[in-house]
Amino acid sequence: MGDWCRSDVPPVKALSVLGSTGSIGTQTLEIVAEFPQRFSVVALTAGRNLELLVQQIRQFNPEVVALADPALLPELRERISSLSLQRSPDLVAGSEGLCQAAAWPTADLVVTGIVGCAGLLPTLAAIEAGKDLALANKETLIAAGPVVLPALERSGSRLLPADSEHSAIFQCLQGTPWPDTARLSTGIPTPGLRRIQLTASGGAFRDWEAADLVNATVADATSHPNWSMGRKITVDSASLMNKGLEVIEAHYLYGVDYDHIEIVIHPQSIIHSMVELSDSSVLAQLGWPDMKLPILYCLSWPERLETPWRRLDLTEIGQLTFRAPDPAKYPCMDLAYAAGRAGGTMPAVLNAANEQAVALFLQERIHFLDIPKLIEAACERHRTDWRSEPSLDDVLAVDRWARTAVAEASTLPLAA
Ligand code: NAD
Ligand code: MG
């Protein structure tokens, strides 16, 4: 073929956006709208926000739309019947529908923006279909690392981290020898990587004394100082469980043992994480706290796209500060390390117990300080049923069990 046939126009990457109405989903769609020549949307999935979903269908004209709840399908059908679309999307629902959208044949990359372990089956469907993933839904990897990692290995799907800390690590590691650059994250130890330092803003209670947490309300816990995110992850940031979950996420993604993954409170959220290499060099990735950057990098990798986004100016910030987290103030952190070290089914119990406890807290049925107590009790009870190499069914079973255990325990008087 002659040179005249060669095109310098890069192909448009087609996305399936799971959880399109959430914080990650809407920011992903903002990027697509900003780079229409680079990205398109072929699949959308959502929970209950039909109003926003319909706007997204009008704007992006996907090939398929999946709703978590089949009971909402007739209303969605009714609402989109009045839109003048180039083509009507296929409408599907329920767990099967979410999996169909995740494995949609024309999708090149699946953005996993569903919150919680509800993202597990769609994520596995995407992997089995050989799709590359932009992983935001960390709960899936934490609950089911021993299932997800072998599935990635089998399918050759590439897992690109959208979580800002793991994106920072991933970006820093681009300059080191990878075992296999095509398979990014399979838990295989990364040569030369000695230690990971995950930065944490400290969440809503960063400047509170531990003793004052008895007065913490839902409104207090859901107002994050630096990041605008969904309610569950904002509460996880306030308890530091989010960072604990990210420690387990980092262990599964980069194969680093728990003794070499540390958490450092960095209130400005400018350094998004650091890696220490074997020669003692430390690499960090910096930027304003804006999730669009790590999401964009997942979408454009291995390329860097030109953006008009706000440039980082360190003189504007003045100083970057760091301190060690207080384990007495943030008991969720040690619970996460313990569950991660136990491995097997324990992280699934930790995650499900946390999801259930946070949901009860958001409904004002338990106090903020009850969250770690309920999680600890569930992990403790699970010791006798713990499995080292769980199957998918084992993970789903312990996930269900832990939610019930927390719901039951929360109706009893909680230990002081
Ligand atoms: P969110 O609550 O804003 O959005 C969640 C999305 O999932 C919504 O579209 C919702 O409709 C959908 N959803 C909720 N429950 C569902 C269910 N049972 N089945 C199917 N769909 C369901 O959450 P978010 O803040 O966008 O977080 C999404 C994921 O990304 C979480 O796992 C979170 O830990 C991770 N994450 C988020 C951020 C952030 O800045 N928001 C940063 C890093 C990682
Ligand atoms: Mg994060």
Side-chain angles (χ1 to χ4, degrees):
M1 242 186 259
D3 262 353
W4 58 273
C5 259
R6 253 194 14 230
S7 165
D8 289 331
V9 181
V12 175
K13 204 176 272 181
L15 309 183
S16 169
V17 184
L18 310 183
S20 67
T21 54
S23 163
I24 291 290
T26 51
Q27 293 181 86
T28 303
L29 295 179
E30 281 173 33
I31 295 172
V32 175
E34 222 173 310
F35 296 95
Q37 71 288 14
R38 298 302 303 264
F39 309 116
S40 69
V41 174
V42 290
L44 294 174
T45 86
R48 311 200 64 81
N49 189 346
L50 293 192
E51 182 96 26
L52 180 56
L53 180 63
V54 169
Q55 282 176 30
Q56 295 177 341
I57 294 170
R58 187 191 294 127
Q59 185 176 0
F60 296 99
N61 212 332
E63 295 170 13
V64 64
V65 176
L67 279 178
D69 182 358
L72 295 175
L73 257 189
E75 191 185 339
L76 179 66
R77 196 166 283 126
E78 169 76 32
R79 284 184 185 229
I80 61 173
S81 64
S82 57
L83 303 178
S84 50
L85 297 169
Q86 278 171 337
R87 121 192 235 291
S88 288
D90 290 4
L91 300 183
V92 292
S95 178
E96 215 170 287
L98 296 176
C99 291
Q100 261 180 283
W104 197 248
T106 51
D108 300 309
L109 180 85
V110 180
V111 180
T112 69
I114 291 177
V115 58
C117 205
L120 173 55
L121 294 178
T123 303
L124 285 174
I127 295 173
E128 270 152 32
K131 307 293 178 190
D132 287 346
L133 297 173
L135 181 91
N137 175 225
K138 66 191 89 181
E139 294 92 342
T140 281
L141 187 62
I142 287 142
V147 176
V148 171
L149 296 181
L152 285 168
E153 188 84 55
R154 283 194 302 274
S155 79
S157 290
R158 292 180 291 202
L159 192 56
L160 297 142
D163 213 349
S164 58
E165 297 75 6
H166 306 78
S167 173
I169 297 163
F170 176 51
Q171 293 181 56
C172 291
L173 292 177
Q174 302 293 307
T176 64
W178 282 74
D180 176 352
T181 42
R183 284 206 333 274
L184 307 170
S185 317
T186 53
I188 299 166
T190 308
L193 173 58
R194 200 179 164 277
R195 192 165 65 113
I196 287 175
Q197 283 183 287
L198 293 174
T199 50
S201 68
F205 300 129
R206 180 181 71 195
D207 302 321
W208 288 43
E209 294 298 327
D212 294 335
L213 290 177
V214 288
N215 301 318
T217 64
V218 169
D220 294 327
T222 48
S223 48
H224 197 285
N226 300 356
W227 300 90
S228 160
M229 310 181 286
R231 278 161 74 79
K232 189 257 177 187
I233 186 176
T234 305
V235 175
D236 285 350
S237 298
S239 68
L240 232 70
M241 179 54 96
N242 182 49
K243 213 50 53 179
L245 296 177
E246 289 179 357
V247 166
I248 303 173
E249 187 182 5
H251 169 77
Y252 283 137
L253 290 177
Y254 301 109
V256 175
D257 65 70
Y258 287 98
D259 290 343
H260 290 92
I261 306 175
E262 286 162 24
I263 296 173
V264 55
I265 305 270
H266 167 43
Q268 298 82 13
S269 296
I270 295 295
I271 293 187
H272 297 307
S273 278
M274 294 169 264
V275 296
E276 184 186 306
L277 304 177
S278 45
D279 60 2
S280 82
S281 181
V282 173
L283 307 185
Q285 185 261 334
L286 284 71
W288 295 115
D290 181 346
M291 280 304 293
K292 274 170 70 181
L293 187 54
I295 298 171
L296 174 68
Y297 192 57
C298 286
L299 269 47
S300 70
W301 180 88
E303 262 186 86
R304 294 271 181 188
L305 299 188
E306 177 76 28
T307 75
W309 298 349
R310 183 182 177 202
R311 303 282 139 174
L312 183 65
D313 178 358
L314 287 176
T315 61
E316 208 179 300
I317 301 154
Q319 58 177 345
L320 301 179
T321 57
F322 307 92
R323 60 173 188 264
D326 173 3
K329 179 173 165 185
Y330 297 116
C332 285
M333 197 174 61
D334 282 350
L335 292 174
Y337 269 101
R341 286 194 166 99
T345 44
M346 198 58 91
V349 171
L350 174 95
N351 177 66
N354 180 57
E355 283 191 34
Q356 184 67 34
V358 170
L360 291 170
F361 168 67
L362 287 170
Q363 293 161 18
E364 299 188 326
R365 287 163 60 191
I366 62 167
H367 191 272
F368 181 73
L369 294 176
D370 294 332
I371 296 173
K373 290 180 199 161
L374 289 164
I375 298 168
E376 186 172 14
C379 291
E380 202 55 52
R381 279 183 64 193
H382 179 64
R383 275 174 195 278
T384 45
D385 297 322
W386 175 83
R387 295 216 175 173
S388 63
E389 285 173 22
S391 65
L392 175 60
D393 285 344
D394 294 332
V395 169
L396 295 172
V398 299
D399 178 271
R400 274 192 303 272
W401 172 83
R403 284 166 205 268
T404 312
V406 167
E408 283 168 6
S410 69
T411 62
L412 305 169
L414 292 158

